[in-house]
Amino acid sequence: MRAVRTSLALAASLGATLGAAAATSYSGYKVFRLSASTAGSAEVEDIISSLGLATWENSLGRTGVVDVVVAPHQLSAFESRVTVAESSDITTRAPEIIAEVMHEDLGASIDVEGNFAEVEGKKPTVDDTWFDSYHAYDDHLAFLDDLVSTYDNMSEIVTSGESIEGRNITGIHFWGAEGPGKPAVVFHSTVHAREWITTMVNEYMAYTLLTEYGSDADITGFVDAYDFYIFPVVNPDGFVYTQTSDRMWRKNRQEASNNRCLGRDINRNWPYVWDVPGGSSTDPCSETYRGEEEGDTPEVQGLFGLLDDLASTDGLKLYMDWHSYSQLFMYPYGYSCDAEFPNSSEMGTLSRGFTQSLEAVYGTQYEYGPICNTIYQVSGGSVDYVGDVSGADYSFTAELRDTGRYGFVLPPDQIMPTCVETWAGINYLLQNIK
């Protein structure tokens, strides 16, 4: 691929590593995957509640599995109630609670993840090596700026409003030979601040489509057929907070009335089937807090404003919301496990093709299906809104690598493979949507 040059000055406050600068230390914390038979699920819930454990992915109701973070002072009490094992296979030991170690020391894993070299005023050439490490927020903005500088005849920086702390929600818009004004393909990521791999994958989509335009026939056809809008970080306040204060932060940074807890879950705040029981939380301290009213986050307001405008003018062909982790590819509905999306049969066929194309690269296996049936119930989610309200032809979401060995703290050496295999799935989608 052609190189794109950029000036990437690491923020001084981040120091040599992102992990080392975080105010919240996870040194000595362990991450476990808990597996339980149906008989043991209630006890797992009690362990989480009584010890006040933070959870990562929670599929206890669907698969009997939940990933939990255990602080050093909680270890003794935690380990007295579970069986710590090498494998989470519980078939011969039900109804015991089996705890499989994911991170022996979460703090050490964070240090490895965030240990990227300081540039010391240099102007490195950003080519595929951009995807060898994670980057500071300002560097992501510089990356987009330099893509536009390199392809200034076919791209521009766009914003979809501001965050609660006043940061622009910044993306890149690009088009092909006939200029802008064609049906839109919109990708957005880093909705949940700690899901760093999604930022990199989304930028890889933009990078590949721009740098291969004119030399790859399929890619040239895609960019000539659609206007692409790619937003790598739609939760900039939360993302910056993960780099400066708490690596495991998920929500935005919005205050709640009469409550000490900060943040709303941007993917539970969209103004569509927002208050369905079971799909979000009314507790401001919860990781899935939906907000005080539907659409009351400025981030969501800006995003649905842009999407609705595109749908009513040039048309909205494809929407993708990138998340991590679990290796899933999904489509509406999230709010209900019984409601069926109008073109669910076609969406299922496309999803199967995406997962098969992705698997063909490195053998990574994804599951696919409607959101509620595949992962868990989600109300006030973007994919349901964009499918039913904006009226996109196709609306999908993905949970990227991995299935839990590293979870949110995916090592840098997995960035590029994740990007490459995900591109194979997107390549299939763009070839097969109608």
Side-chain angles (χ1 to χ4, degrees):
M1 296 181 177
R2 286 177 287 176
V4 182
R5 298 193 62 82
T6 187
S7 174
L8 304 178
L10 289 179
S13 62
L14 296 182
T17 69
L18 294 181
T24 300
S25 172
Y26 288 95
S27 177
Y29 282 63
K30 294 180 184 290
V31 182
F32 293 91
R33 166 155 290 180
L34 298 183
S35 302
S37 67
T38 302
S41 293
E43 186 176 351
V44 171
E45 294 281 15
D46 184 65
I47 291 171
I48 293 170
S49 176
S50 62
L51 295 181
L53 300 180
T55 61
W56 283 7
E57 291 297 308
N58 189 345
S59 299
L60 190 61
R62 185 175 64 88
T63 65
V65 169
V66 58
D67 301 336
V68 298
V69 181
V70 183
H73 71 274
Q74 298 170 317
L75 277 172
S76 178
F78 174 80
E79 292 181 348
S80 71
R81 300 182 63 178
V82 302
T83 298
V84 179
E86 293 296 323
S87 171
S88 59
D89 181 3
I90 63 171
T91 57
T92 61
R93 288 176 281 189
E96 290 182 334
I97 314 293
I98 310 301
E100 180 185 5
V101 178
M102 293 166 58
H103 290 276
E104 186 66 37
D105 186 334
L106 180 57
S109 298
I110 289 171
D111 287 343
V112 170
E113 176 200 43
N115 189 15
F116 51 85
E118 293 184 72
V119 298
E120 299 177 350
K122 299 177 182 178
K123 295 183 67 175
T125 298
V126 177
D127 48 26
D128 287 356
T129 61
W130 170 260
F131 303 98
D132 290 343
S133 63
Y134 297 102
H135 304 277
Y137 175 65
D138 286 347
D139 296 343
H140 289 290
L141 298 180
F143 181 79
L144 296 182
D145 284 340
D146 289 341
L147 280 177
V148 169
S149 295
T150 304
Y151 301 98
D152 58 355
N153 64 330
M154 58 182 296
S155 66
E156 63 181 356
I157 295 294
V158 291
T159 63
S160 65
E162 293 184 347
S163 67
I164 194 69
E165 293 180 350
R167 292 182 176 89
N168 285 331
I169 300 172
T170 304
I172 183 171
H173 167 214
F174 54 93
W175 54 86
E178 296 183 7
K182 299 176 296 299
V185 172
V186 179
F187 295 166
H188 86 221
S189 54
T190 329
V191 175
H192 296 141
R194 62 193 177 191
E195 297 170 8
W196 287 7
I197 186 59
T198 68
T199 318
M200 304 303 297
V201 164
N202 210 6
E203 288 174 345
Y204 188 82
M205 301 298 115
Y207 179 75
T208 300
L209 288 161
L210 282 167
T211 58
E212 295 296 325
Y213 180 79
S215 59
D216 181 287
D218 287 336
I219 288 174
T220 303
F222 302 153
V223 179
D224 283 344
Y226 306 113
D227 277 36
F228 286 82
Y229 294 81
I230 294 181
F231 290 84
V233 182
V234 300
N235 181 7
D237 301 343
F239 186 61
V240 169
Y241 196 74
T242 65
Q243 297 188 330
T244 59
S245 300
D246 185 348
R247 174 63 185 88
M248 291 296 106
W249 186 260
R250 168 184 166 99
K251 301 182 285 183
N252 76 352
R253 298 290 299 164
Q254 192 166 350
E255 293 183 357
S257 300
N258 303 315
N259 195 286
R260 61 179 176 79
C261 293
L262 287 177
R264 287 152 164 74
D265 183 342
I266 293 176
N267 201 39
R268 301 296 190 281
N269 188 246
W270 289 68
Y272 180 63
V273 288
W274 170 76
D275 58 353
V276 173
S280 62
S281 175
T282 58
D283 178 5
C285 298
S286 169
E287 297 278 38
T288 58
Y289 176 50
R290 68 190 189 187
E292 297 173 9
E293 298 178 1
E294 61 181 10
D296 69 353
T297 64
E299 295 89 352
V300 165
Q301 292 167 16
L303 291 167
F304 75 68
L306 172 70
L307 289 160
D308 290 352
D309 182 62
L310 291 172
S312 66
T313 53
D314 301 321
L316 183 54
K317 176 59 64 174
L318 170 64
Y319 172 77
M320 274 297 317
D321 185 11
W322 300 110
H323 289 267
S324 72
Y325 59 95
S326 287
Q327 294 176 193
L328 306 171
F329 194 78
M330 298 170 288
Y331 50 92
Y333 287 113
Y335 79 89
S336 170
C337 292
D338 298 318
E340 185 172 327
F341 196 64
N343 65 335
S344 61
S345 178
E346 183 185 8
M347 300 282 269
T349 298
L350 289 169
S351 298
R352 182 174 66 249
F354 177 98
T355 62
Q356 290 173 340
S357 298
L358 185 151
E359 183 180 359
V361 182
Y362 300 117
T364 306
Q365 295 183 338
Y366 274 50
E367 296 180 30
Y368 67 90
I371 296 167
C372 187
N373 304 97
T374 306
I375 186 168
Y376 40 62
Q377 187 181 10
V378 176
S379 56
S382 66
V383 175
D384 289 356
Y385 180 97
V386 175
D388 271 3
V389 180
S390 300
D393 292 344
Y394 304 96
S395 183
F396 293 102
T397 186
E399 296 278 351
L400 300 170
R401 287 193 188 189
D402 60 4
T403 57
R405 170 62 185 87
Y406 297 105
F408 297 120
V409 189
L410 195 69
D413 62 9
Q414 291 201 33
I415 297 173
M416 191 61 164
T418 307
C419 290
V420 171
E421 68 188 11
T422 306
W423 167 251
I426 288 296
N427 193 350
Y428 168 87
L429 274 189
L430 292 173
Q431 291 188 52
N432 288 277
I433 57 178
K434 299 175 183 175

